[in-house]
Amino acid sequence: SQKIEQNSEALNIQEGKTATLTCNYTNYSPAYLQWYRQDPGRGPVFLLLIRENEKEKRKERLKVTFDTTLKQSLFHITASQPADSATYLCALEYAGGTSYGKLTFGQGTILTVHP
Amino acid sequence: GAVVSQHPSRVICKSGTSVKIECRSLDFQATTMFWYRQFPKQSLMLMATSNEGSKATYEQGVEKDKFLINHASLTLSTLTVTSAHPEDSSFYICSAPRGYSPTDTQYFGPGTRLTVL
């Protein structure tokens, strides 16, 4: 079965630095890889989606890369702020009728940005 | 923006009772909704897909007779945990994609914290 590993359970960085989070998966590559933010006691909030044929996606201070050869996605937050502190989840979505919308989540990385 | 709500946000019940959780898409219609469960310090695990007008489909290992799902309308799905036991205590989250394309954004509800005594 598919396994997803987000390398760090926790990541601590200083404000202003770039946070880099890793998501690795086994088996076959998903059609879409997504990143979500989850605050304590809340549901996930969508951040970015990248397709299997895309190498990189950006949105404001966020950047996602997707390497299907390495079976890895990197998620970057530049100029990090304490408000970026949260749990970040990667999620895989596969193509195909019965797979539509179904997400397989990694266990998350707890990011703490220190002032 | 699109909003998905859940009710209640928190529920405490006695072992053996049934609990109903509602998931609503507030400003869009969702023919499909998803129910996830999240245990402390663990990730979200997909339980089932709720389909408007047809039966829900359950992931392997999820008991359909214990977790009853009803997609009553294009904006409402309910999850009923029947004969709840302490091991059912968890954070239940629903989601709904806004559209029919795999790249349409999925909106998650705020979650329901279930505690079974």
Side-chain angles (χ1 to χ4, degrees):
Chain A
S1 60
Q2 181 68 274
K3 287 186 179 179
I4 304 169
E5 282 193 8
Q6 293 189 242
N7 285 19
S8 300
E9 183 176 333
L11 179 64
N12 293 280
I13 64 169
Q14 284 299 123
E15 183 175 9
K17 300 293 185 183
T18 295
T20 298
L21 286 66
T22 305
C23 176
N24 293 288
Y25 58 91
T26 59
N27 301 343
Y28 43 95
S29 291
Y32 314 96
L33 192 147
Q34 305 182 27
W35 284 87
Y36 288 81
R37 169 182 173 140
Q38 186 177 24
D39 290 287
R42 306 298 301 272
V45 174
F46 171 79
L47 297 174
L48 280 170
L49 176 150
I50 188 165
R51 303 167 195 254
E52 64 177 332
N53 61 354
E54 295 177 321
K55 296 293 184 185
E56 183 179 297
K57 207 76 163 291
R58 291 175 185 261
K59 178 183 176 183
E60 298 174 351
R61 294 186 296 114
L62 309 180
K63 184 177 84 171
V64 173
T65 63
F66 192 7
D67 189 327
T68 55
T69 302
L70 293 178
K71 296 187 178 180
Q72 181 181 81
S73 175
L74 299 179
F75 178 76
H76 306 272
I77 304 175
T78 59
S80 60
Q81 305 165 2
D84 294 327
S85 299
T87 297
Y88 290 86
L89 303 164
C90 71
L92 278 53
E93 182 179 0
Y94 292 87
T98 60
S99 298
Y100 163 64
K102 292 185 179 180
L103 299 177
T104 303
F105 282 90
Q107 78 277 20
T109 296
I110 301 171
L111 174 67
T112 303
V113 181
H114 299 280
Chain B
V3 176
V4 172
S5 69
Q6 282 184 241
H7 178 79
S9 58
R10 187 179 296 266
V11 57
I12 301 172
C13 69
K14 293 182 179 180
S15 185
T17 60
S18 294
V19 174
K20 180 186 284 188
I21 303 170
E22 294 184 348
C23 176
R24 293 181 185 273
S25 55
L26 298 184
D27 60 354
F28 66 99
Q29 294 182 334
T31 56
T32 301
M33 292 183 176
F34 300 94
W35 286 96
Y36 294 83
R37 180 168 52 181
Q38 186 175 34
F39 291 107
K41 295 190 177 181
Q42 293 187 27
S43 193
L44 284 77
M45 294 296 294
L46 179 65
M47 298 175 65
T49 304
S50 175
N51 304 296
E52 192 272 336
S54 63
K55 290 183 180 180
T57 54
Y58 292 81
E59 297 301 301
Q60 192 172 13
V62 178
E63 300 175 57
K64 63 180 182 180
D65 294 331
K66 181 168 183 62
F67 299 99
L68 302 179
I69 292 173
N70 182 24
H71 202 130
S73 73
L74 288 171
T75 59
L76 173 64
S77 174
T78 60
L79 169 69
T80 300
V81 183
T82 63
S83 186
H85 292 284
E87 58 265 30
D88 298 322
S89 298
S90 188
F91 193 49
Y92 291 86
I93 308 173
C94 67
S95 74
R98 186 178 188 156
Y100 303 96
S101 167
T103 57
D104 286 317
T105 299
Q106 283 216 38
Y107 295 92
F108 283 78
T112 297
R113 175 75 60 191
L114 170 63
T115 303
V116 184
L117 303 176

